[in-house]
Amino acid sequence: MVASYTVPPNEEPMRMECWGFEELGYGLVLYDEAGEELAYLAYGSVIAIEPA
């Protein structure tokens, strides 16, 4: 999967490859192939999560 997101003040979308994600109360946690946390993204910054 590929997560597309923005981080202020950068308005250009950034992308991060991940193997899975979990929805939390106010954002998403992205996981790598080993199940380790890669990043936390607030819902307001997430554009899309798409197949790689």
Side-chain angles (χ1 to χ4, degrees):
M1 292 182 226
V2 176
S4 299
Y5 60 97
T6 60
V7 177
N10 184 2
E11 297 301 322
E12 291 296 315
M14 299 190 301
R15 297 168 59 87
M16 178 181 294
E17 188 170 333
C18 63
W19 287 80
F21 67 93
E22 178 180 3
E23 293 187 53
L24 301 177
Y26 33 81
L28 301 174
V29 177
L30 305 180
Y31 294 100
D32 66 11
E33 186 175 7
E36 299 293 322
E37 290 183 15
L38 288 173
Y40 170 81
L41 301 175
Y43 283 127
S45 66
V46 176
I47 297 170
I49 297 182
E50 306 167 310

